[in-house]
Amino acid sequence: MTHSRERDDPDQHRTGPGPAPPVQELLRQSGRGDRDAFSRLYDQVSGVLYGLVLRVVRDRGQSEEVVQEVLLEIWRQAPRYDSTRGGAMAWMTTIAHRRAVDRVRSAQAGADREAAAGRREVAGGDYDSVAEAVEDRLERERVRRCLDGLTDLQHQAVTLAFYGGHSYPEVAQLLATPLGTIKTRMRDGLIRLRDCLGVAT
Amino acid sequence: MKENTHTLSGAYALNALPEEQAREFERHLARCPDCAEETRGLCETTARMAAAVRHEPPSVLKARVMEEIGAVRQASPIVPATMGRSSRPHARLLAGRAAAALLVAAALVLGVLLIRTNGQLNEERVQGDRIAAVLAAPDARQVSTRVGAATVTAIYSPAKASVVVVTAGMPTAPAAHDYQVWLIGPDAIRSAGLMPDRPGPVLAGPVHAGDKLGITVEPQGGSRQPTTQPLTVVALTS
Ligand SMILES: [Zn+2]
């Protein structure tokens, strides 16, 4: 018998030895139409998704609308979640970030918003201003400490793109830096952040 | 592909690539295991950045969402890009050592394996090594067949007496049921295990000369002998 799951051991989890992470398991069950699982998934992830959307969109009413769309999208797409391509939380975060950015880019008043947001971010990042919103203080401290370990250009490129919702050509313009440099700083900045956070790959 | 495509992983993970470039990079990911692995790690990193700005939404939102999902139809499982390219419309046998399609399929499956086995338990690594050995066997041959909209591909090495089964586009098994793989010989039918939910390869063996491969839907946990008509039966030897 070479298959990883023995026929006579139905309790063993099918995706391999050991229990799956709860969020991933709840997403998988949601993908089979299990509303109870989705309800529990909501409890676990809505804070992260709303926090991220709020960070990008910066307006509570609009952020509520966006995060509602995001959660419906997660329910709709859950059968297509493929754990071989990444973690469940990263998958949901990506959906939320894309929706938030879509909202900002479609609603933007033009260069003014970009420039204003750019100045705010370049001035040192304002993720401090959402400190009251952060429930997981340890996680926030850890991420913040690791972000502080980046070079200024890495830090600005990464936060303008992710928290500011800017595309990399916009970031290049905001920072008056060549496209190729920005692209590279985003990559080496995230790699440094990954290693500092001890993200398992 | 331009040489600097590999460096787009950071901008992609930050969702900072313009739409067209993002899709182009995704196509690159499907055939560049290095970038796929790196991008996966960087996406886990941006997920941590999201977790750092957690903020609970107003409590009324949950009731709205739970009510609305009742009206939202769920998508059907997607055909993974890894198999979509190598699938064939009809059952087809590729004998011989250097069939190009087989090499492509093997490379794609290996790409998936390299990503999957990284950082996982030894047991799964060993399984991955065994699968890789079958794919690399000089006598490996490939059979693909359609099951409805899904494709089932078997890569069989007589020398290794093993077969690797990969499916694409298979709908999720009905609630409380599993797909079970069988080796069907002239005298006996042997279980080759259950198919995992995710579209990863399954290794089955030992395969005896003359065995066919079958897949059935069985009650969760599997059966000792098939209890339903096979969805497909594939001859492994010509
Ligand atoms: Zn690459």
Side-chain angles (χ1 to χ4, degrees):
Chain A
M1 189 64 176
T2 47
H3 191 267
S4 64
R5 185 186 181 202
E6 299 292 332
R7 188 192 61 216
D8 296 330
D9 184 11
D11 291 336
Q12 188 184 346
H13 193 268
R14 66 179 55 211
T15 56
V23 167
Q24 180 170 318
E25 182 59 23
L26 291 173
L27 180 60
R28 206 175 63 84
Q29 290 167 2
S30 300
R32 294 176 161 186
D34 183 339
R35 291 185 200 186
D36 289 339
F38 189 74
S39 170
R40 281 181 290 152
L41 184 67
Y42 180 100
D43 295 340
Q44 290 205 38
V45 306
S46 59
V48 172
L49 301 179
Y50 180 69
L52 176 61
V53 169
L54 185 60
R55 191 66 182 72
V56 174
V57 174
R58 296 162 187 268
D59 174 274
R60 281 169 195 263
Q62 286 197 51
S63 295
E64 278 176 43
E65 287 172 22
V66 171
V67 84
Q68 188 168 345
E69 291 168 12
V70 166
L71 286 154
L72 295 178
E73 179 75 7
I74 288 170
W75 167 258
R76 204 175 75 76
Q77 297 288 347
R80 296 188 170 177
Y81 167 66
D82 175 1
S83 62
T84 63
R85 293 187 183 187
M89 205 60 233
W91 185 78
M92 291 182 280
T93 299
T94 299
I95 291 175
H97 196 266
R98 285 181 184 167
R99 286 268 176 168
V101 165
D102 284 349
R103 174 64 65 110
V104 166
R105 289 187 190 157
S106 65
Q108 65 171 291
D112 287 351
R113 192 203 82 93
E114 305 296 328
R119 278 193 301 275
R120 208 156 49 233
E121 298 283 349
V122 174
D126 60 348
Y127 50 94
D128 281 348
S129 67
V130 292
E132 79 287 354
V134 177
E135 294 207 319
D136 189 345
R137 183 169 291 274
L138 281 177
E139 177 71 350
R140 178 173 66 80
E141 293 297 338
R142 206 175 291 127
V143 170
R144 184 183 157 166
R145 201 177 58 242
C146 288
L147 279 171
D148 285 347
L150 304 184
T151 68
D152 283 351
L153 194 54
Q154 286 173 337
H155 182 283
Q156 288 162 357
V158 164
T159 55
L160 274 172
F162 196 65
Y163 292 142
H166 294 283
S167 69
Y168 89 93
E170 287 169 355
V171 173
Q173 203 173 359
L174 288 165
L175 299 176
T177 305
L179 278 174
T181 308
I182 289 302
K183 197 173 65 182
T184 310
R185 291 297 87 80
M186 285 178 169
R187 176 166 177 258
D188 54 35
L190 271 189
I191 286 174
R192 192 188 281 196
L193 191 59
R194 176 195 72 194
D195 294 344
C196 177
L197 289 168
V199 171
T201 54
Chain B
M1 192 56 55
K2 283 159 273 171
E3 57 174 283
N4 58 2
T5 298
H6 305 289
T7 63
L8 289 176
S9 56
Y12 178 82
L14 290 163
N15 188 27
L17 290 179
E19 183 69 21
E20 202 170 300
Q21 265 183 291
R23 299 295 86 78
E24 186 185 340
F25 186 69
E26 282 169 356
R27 287 192 291 276
H28 175 69
L29 288 180
R31 54 177 189 271
C32 181
D34 287 346
C35 279
E37 186 187 340
E38 179 175 282
T39 300
R40 181 177 164 145
L42 299 186
C43 287
E44 299 296 336
T45 304
T46 50
R48 295 283 295 274
M49 288 179 72
V53 293
R54 185 180 189 117
H55 189 137
E56 293 306 322
S59 52
V60 295
L61 187 70
K62 182 171 182 181
R64 288 213 296 268
V65 168
M66 292 310 294
E67 190 190 328
E68 283 200 30
I69 64 168
V72 176
R73 191 159 153 198
Q74 288 188 301
S76 55
I78 202 164
V79 179
T82 45
M83 287 311 299
R85 230 168 272 124
S86 62
S87 62
R88 292 291 180 274
H90 297 294
R92 184 170 180 180
L93 182 67
L94 298 174
R97 289 182 297 275
L102 172 57
L103 293 177
V104 170
L108 289 168
V109 172
L110 277 172
V112 171
L113 283 172
L114 288 172
I115 299 160
R116 273 188 54 195
T117 54
N118 193 289
Q120 291 187 18
L121 297 174
N122 277 335
E123 190 177 321
E124 210 162 326
R125 279 180 198 271
V126 170
Q127 184 84 348
D129 289 347
R130 289 192 187 128
I131 290 172
V134 172
L135 299 180
D139 66 341
R141 63 189 71 177
Q142 174 185 322
V143 191
S144 288
T145 186
R146 282 282 193 189
V147 179
T151 307
V152 176
T153 300
I155 299 157
Y156 168 50
S157 163
K160 302 274 179 197
S162 298
V163 60
V164 173
V165 184
V166 191
T167 63
M170 287 282 273
T172 308
H177 288 74
D178 284 316
Y179 291 115
Q180 191 164 1
V181 181
W182 306 92
L183 291 168
I184 305 168
D187 305 319
I189 300 178
R190 287 121 50 218
S191 171
L194 301 174
M195 301 218 322
D197 277 351
R198 58 187 180 185
V202 171
L203 178 67
V207 180
H208 302 158
D211 275 352
K212 293 176 178 176
L213 185 107
I215 298 176
T216 62
V217 175
E218 299 294 337
Q220 194 157 33
S223 305
R224 290 181 183 278
Q225 286 290 303
T227 62
T228 60
Q229 281 294 314
L231 302 170
T232 184
V233 174
V234 181
L236 295 175
T237 48
S238 44

